[in-house]
Amino acid sequence: MTTETTATYSTTKSEAAYLAAQEVIAGGVNSGARGPGAGWVPGPPVVAHGKGAELWDIDGNHYLDYLLALGPMIHGHAHPEITDAVTRAIHDIGTMFALPYELEAAAARKIVETVPSVDLVRFGNSGTEVVLHATRLARAFTGRDVVVRFEGQYHGWADQLEWSHHPDLAKAGPRLRPNALPGTPGIPEVIGQTLAVLPWNDRDAVEQLIEERGKEIAAVLTEPIMGNTGVIPPQPGYLEFLREITAANGIVLIFDEVITGFRVAPGGAQALYGVTPDLTTMAKALGGGFPVAAIGGKREIMDQVSDGAVLHAGTYNGNTVAIASTVASLNVLTRPGTHERLFELSNRLMKGIGGIFERAGIPVQVQGVGPMFQFWFSETPVVNYRDAAPHLNSPKYAALALELHRRGVMVHPSNIELWFVSTVHTREDIDTTLDAFEGAVKATIGQLR
Ligand SMILES: Cc1ncc(COP(=O)(O)O)c(C=O)c1O
């Protein structure tokens, strides 16, 4: 950790606790997005507790939380209904048995009833895991090996898919046919042969690849709304195009709805846009703050695991904490009016932020879909990774985020990550946030221009 920088997130106690943690936790954090490498310099604030839409750090600083643990806390922190459901499950049922119990089917039924593409479900524990299962199912179903993934998207940290997430443009190759680049040392080069990387929102690129290599392609894997390079919504008709071209070529279409699922509509992005994939992966909002994920999809594809022809396994799959949190989180999310409210609040925030920049004469693109959004210091809309690349990890954004922290607004310091709005934020919270935002823009105006 450098102590020379003047920018600072951690204050006295946080800094000491973070230093102490580094004696026993590698880098002092348990995921890369939480450390200085991701922008928390010299170290992250250390949390004391969270309640509803609010967070407190151990120095007593108070924040309105739009980080929301990078998405799972769609009902805020320690939501009473979800906390009760989970603690009741532990007391009344136990935690895990390596045997089925009745609540599992209730949770699965809730997903089947809510997500249009899903006939059958299997539960897992993290987004990374269920995306791996999805690609395995697609490869087994088609007898083909290649998975298409898009530049700038993220599908978990596993060797098979952590490729071309935020590649260096100097190495990324041609726009229409990017090189597949591993996202970290430690990934065998040879895995790149099982992937094809394409630019998103570009029909020609998909058509050309499928024309040349369609018979090798098992799956097209996509976030239906890009949510790991800020937010990049699909161009009108793009998801429909992906649906048609994959269906016509015997390719499995996988929507990775780990972020969008249950968030942009009860049935996720597929319900919002009316495009039905073959397989869907879900996590984050699914459990409202507890580790749970699910894969679901068409009966004929999912049935491959029904009799064990294709392996799906996991000691912790379907534990009672995961399942009880799923039932409770989905109960809240499917309550009438929930998404209307989420959209109303988030649109108010996005519009307010856009207005503040406009009044300050700073061109930005506020891009979002309901309760997930981000903004780019760009003159023109960002429609794919190559548009976003010059603006990634923007120092302007980092300066603004630090000022927001000083004014009690918790967001990630990097604009790769998103602003999330929860079901427990209020209109008053949004207006307080906009006041803080205006102050933060004024304080950093010299850096933003
Ligand atoms: C779209 C998408 N897929 C998969 C993952 C991986 O999920 P997890 O962190 O639960 O493994 C993420 C995580 O942010 C994600 O955004």
Side-chain angles (χ1 to χ4, degrees):
M1 185 180 78
T2 169
T3 49
E4 279 154 25
T5 174
T6 50
T8 181
Y9 279 98
S10 49
T11 39
T12 328
K13 286 188 188 161
S14 279
E15 202 159 340
Y18 177 58
L19 275 171
Q22 287 176 64
E23 291 165 17
V24 285
I25 297 173
V29 292
N30 283 304
S31 179
R34 302 175 201 171
W40 296 106
V41 283
V46 173
V47 172
H49 73 285
K51 184 78 194 145
E54 296 168 276
L55 268 189
W56 288 262
D57 68 23
I58 60 174
D59 287 284
N61 298 309
H62 168 258
Y63 307 92
L64 283 169
D65 189 8
Y66 297 94
L67 180 61
L68 294 178
L70 298 176
M73 312 312 296
I74 192 158
H75 306 300
H77 301 279
H79 190 282
E81 209 170 318
I82 301 170
T83 310
D84 279 0
V86 168
T87 47
R88 256 190 292 117
I90 296 170
H91 287 296
D92 297 351
I93 310 176
T95 50
M96 49 200 297
F97 318 101
L99 287 170
Y101 59 99
E102 285 178 313
L103 199 60
E104 285 175 298
R109 195 172 300 282
K110 194 95 195 149
I111 295 174
V112 169
E113 285 169 2
T114 312
V115 185
S117 67
V118 175
D119 298 328
L120 290 171
V121 172
R122 278 281 178 107
F123 286 99
N125 305 285
S126 69
T128 300
E129 265 178 64
V130 291
V131 180
L132 289 177
H133 279 121
T135 52
R136 175 183 287 172
L137 279 167
R139 286 176 168 134
F141 189 73
T142 57
R144 304 170 179 174
D145 282 345
V146 175
V147 169
V148 175
R149 58 146 297 150
F150 295 93
E151 244 178 5
Q153 301 203 354
Y154 179 61
H155 302 290
W157 51 263
D159 290 2
Q160 289 94 323
L161 288 164
E162 177 43 3
W163 289 71
S164 300
H165 173 192
H166 291 137
D168 176 353
L169 285 191
K171 299 182 189 152
R175 191 183 64 83
L176 278 184
R177 193 63 64 83
N179 300 328
L181 295 173
T184 168
I187 297 181
E189 283 286 331
V190 66
I191 292 176
Q193 293 167 20
T194 66
L195 295 171
V197 175
L198 290 180
W200 205 55
N201 265 335
D202 190 319
R203 299 182 193 207
D204 291 347
V206 177
E207 272 167 2
Q208 281 176 26
L209 181 76
I210 289 181
E211 209 168 290
E212 283 170 37
R213 299 184 63 192
K215 294 269 176 303
E216 297 168 58
I217 299 172
V220 168
L221 168 65
T222 187
E223 295 180 73
I225 300 165
M226 266 179 80
N228 281 286
T229 297
V231 174
I232 306 182
Q235 300 278 75
Y238 181 65
L239 296 178
E240 290 84 345
F241 157 78
L242 288 182
R243 176 63 287 178
E244 279 161 28
I245 196 164
T246 49
N249 288 277
I251 296 167
V252 174
L253 180 63
I254 306 171
F255 276 4
D256 182 351
E257 296 230 39
V258 164
I259 293 182
T260 54
F262 310 101
R263 190 182 310 277
V264 295
Q270 57 196 265
L272 186 71
Y273 294 108
V275 177
T276 307
D278 300 307
L279 290 174
T280 301
T281 53
M282 301 154 263
K284 300 211 187 223
L286 179 65
F290 291 90
V292 59
I295 173 171
K298 279 194 178 145
R299 184 171 296 276
E300 65 261 35
I301 305 179
M302 291 300 296
D303 251 344
Q304 297 178 103
V305 300
S306 300
D307 61 2
V310 171
L311 178 66
H312 171 257
T315 303
Y316 299 100
N317 292 355
N319 65 78
T320 65
V321 169
I323 294 298
S325 65
T326 294
V327 174
S329 176
L330 296 191
N331 278 345
V332 180
L333 277 168
T334 52
R335 228 160 252 160
T338 302
H339 286 82
E340 286 79 355
R341 199 166 159 277
L342 275 172
F343 272 65
E344 189 204 310
L345 291 179
S346 194
N347 287 340
R348 185 177 179 86
L349 187 51
M350 281 193 268
K351 211 166 152 219
I353 288 173
I356 291 167
F357 281 125
E358 204 179 318
R359 287 194 293 283
I362 297 165
V364 296
Q365 306 296 320
V366 183
Q367 297 192 184
V369 180
M372 52 185 283
F373 73 89
Q374 186 48 283
F375 52 89
W376 301 100
F377 290 100
S378 165
E379 305 258 352
T380 50
V382 169
V383 302
N384 58 37
Y385 173 73
R386 303 259 168 145
D387 290 348
H391 307 289
L392 288 184
N393 293 315
S394 149
K396 293 182 184 183
Y397 187 86
L400 186 63
L402 184 58
E403 281 304 323
L404 285 167
H405 270 247
R406 292 187 172 137
R407 289 165 170 76
V409 177
M410 173 62 74
V411 289
H412 197 280
S414 168
N415 62 349
I416 288 170
E417 308 291 356
L418 312 188
W419 287 59
F420 290 107
V421 176
S422 78
T423 56
V424 295
H425 278 94
T426 62
R427 198 176 238 252
E428 198 185 18
D429 292 335
I430 301 300
D431 291 343
T432 305
T433 304
L434 287 171
D435 285 346
F437 202 99
E438 187 131 42
V441 168
K442 280 192 183 129
T444 49
I445 195 80
Q447 288 153 282
L448 301 183
R449 286 226 165 97

